[in-house]
Amino acid sequence: MVTSAGYPLLVIAGPTASGKTALALALAEALNCEIISCDSVAVYRGMDIGSAKPSAAEQARVRHHCLDLFDPNQPCTAGDYARAARAALADIRSRNRLSIVAGGTGLYLRAFLEGLAPAPPRDEALRQSLRAEASTPNALHDKLQQLDPAAAALIHPNDTPKLIRSLEVSLLASEPQTQQWQAGRDPLTGYSTLQLGLNPPRAELYARINQRAAAMFTRGILEETAAIRHQYGDDTRTLTTLGYAQALAVLRNEIPLEEAITRAQQGHRNYAKRQLTWFRRDPTIHWLPAFGDDPATQQQALSLTRTHLTVP
């Protein structure tokens, strides 16, 4: 629960390719804000194309935070992100500036706003057992679906590390991970928060997703993946994320480029569905049924912000 009174804070959420970056930039320039990214891939250095990280020109327009925090072989949990984002928020506030948190990683946003319950420590024996099960396709995802359907809906079936951690937490605590999230949190206080959500027409969203996924390959995701692979190895967890997993399969000569693009497009469309499922659970989000780069939507968002928050 976020306090209803306090320093203004704007959040922009929504599915991939819905225009969150464009909307955040427009509002940041109109309101003299700084942007805190909320993306679980953009926190990694060298993973620019697959995360659709704001370009150098966009970052020059508005100061950004929580980009390029970790090397690709370093773990970044939701708790790690929340600590970094809250530190950025405090820094921005100390300079009498306003913050916009923008991104589509629902768990990271929840950790930032609501805090996370203490989780059981790692159990290496259990992890080894779960890794053995991972040799059977979809075995871990199916198991998590039985233990915690809500958590399974948020994790890609091929994201073995996240599946293992979610199963580990649920099994060790004898309680679904998503139920554990409800207790022992450390919510953000002292802020008056407005959450805006982008939900453009589904057919148009999917068309943009398909276009973006294909463009990743023409813009150099194969080269980006090759560089990460060369420095950190094929088993780097971040190479299991959307776009990079398909690019890695091409580099390994496992699938042709055309199939990689098709798989990336399907994967991103499925991810958008999961993102919308997550965000729709939050009744406090003000939904905008359009893309964030639409000037009319940007004006509507600006009006809502000025109505609900004390901003210039």
Side-chain angles (χ1 to χ4, degrees):
M1 194 77 182
V2 180
T3 182
S4 60
Y7 203 77
L9 173 62
L10 179 61
V11 173
I12 299 173
T16 184
S18 59
K20 298 182 293 295
T21 295
L23 179 57
L25 284 166
L27 294 181
E29 290 181 321
L31 301 171
N32 196 25
C33 299
E34 297 181 20
I35 296 173
I36 300 174
S37 170
C38 185
D39 186 288
S40 62
V41 182
V43 297
Y44 290 104
R45 303 179 188 98
M47 302 188 74
D48 303 340
I49 296 171
S51 67
K53 193 177 295 179
S55 66
E58 289 170 332
Q59 292 185 50
R61 287 168 55 190
V62 174
R63 185 173 177 182
H64 284 68
H65 303 262
C66 294
L67 299 173
D68 304 322
L69 297 177
F70 300 92
D71 290 327
N73 65 333
Q74 295 176 305
C76 176
T77 66
D80 293 330
Y81 168 79
R83 285 185 287 274
R86 288 189 181 188
L89 183 69
D91 170 61
I92 295 167
R93 182 171 178 173
S94 73
R95 293 183 278 104
N96 296 314
R97 301 290 299 276
L98 300 180
S99 299
I100 297 176
V101 179
T105 303
L107 178 57
Y108 279 24
L109 182 59
R110 173 179 282 177
F112 169 74
L113 291 174
E114 302 178 15
L116 292 174
R122 294 163 61 103
D123 184 312
E124 194 55 41
L126 176 57
R127 282 173 168 259
Q128 288 184 354
S129 175
L130 292 171
R131 289 190 193 103
E133 292 185 49
S135 61
T136 302
N138 293 322
L140 293 184
H141 197 264
D142 291 344
K143 187 169 190 170
L144 185 60
Q145 179 68 38
Q146 294 177 351
L147 287 172
D148 190 346
L154 302 172
I155 302 176
H156 191 277
N158 294 337
D159 195 340
T160 301
K162 286 185 181 178
L163 290 168
I164 287 176
R165 181 53 181 163
S166 188
L167 284 165
E168 179 184 42
V169 169
S170 296
L171 290 168
L172 291 176
S174 300
E175 181 182 33
Q177 184 184 31
T178 50
Q179 289 186 20
Q180 296 174 53
W181 290 343
Q182 306 304 317
R185 290 178 173 172
D186 174 27
L188 181 69
T189 58
Y191 288 86
S192 178
T193 304
L194 171 65
Q195 294 192 70
L196 301 179
L198 292 170
N199 186 18
R202 190 65 58 91
E204 295 176 30
L205 176 65
Y206 284 177
R208 285 206 186 187
I209 288 172
N210 290 341
Q211 183 180 30
R212 174 187 281 189
M216 288 180 181
F217 289 86
T218 60
R219 292 180 57 223
I221 196 171
L222 289 172
E223 292 77 6
E224 229 176 48
T225 303
I228 295 169
R229 181 190 191 196
H230 174 75
Q231 186 166 2
Y232 302 107
D234 282 16
D235 296 332
T236 304
R237 188 195 68 79
T238 50
L239 291 182
T240 66
T241 55
L242 284 171
Y244 294 100
Q246 292 77 34
L248 182 60
V250 173
L251 294 174
R252 288 172 166 172
N253 295 316
E254 295 172 353
I255 58 175
L257 177 61
E258 294 76 12
E259 183 176 347
I261 293 172
T262 299
R263 288 187 185 184
Q265 290 170 329
Q266 181 64 61
H268 280 88
R269 293 196 302 271
N270 292 343
Y271 179 49
K273 290 180 184 178
R274 295 196 299 273
Q275 288 174 299
L276 285 167
T277 297
W278 175 284
F279 290 123
R280 281 175 178 158
R281 294 174 182 155
D282 189 341
T284 67
I285 292 179
H286 293 255
W287 287 102
L288 305 173
F291 290 99
D293 58 359
D294 176 28
T297 300
Q298 293 175 357
Q299 285 300 313
Q300 183 183 4
L302 183 59
S303 177
L304 280 168
T305 303
R306 286 177 168 153
T307 297
H308 291 275
L309 298 177
T310 304
V311 296

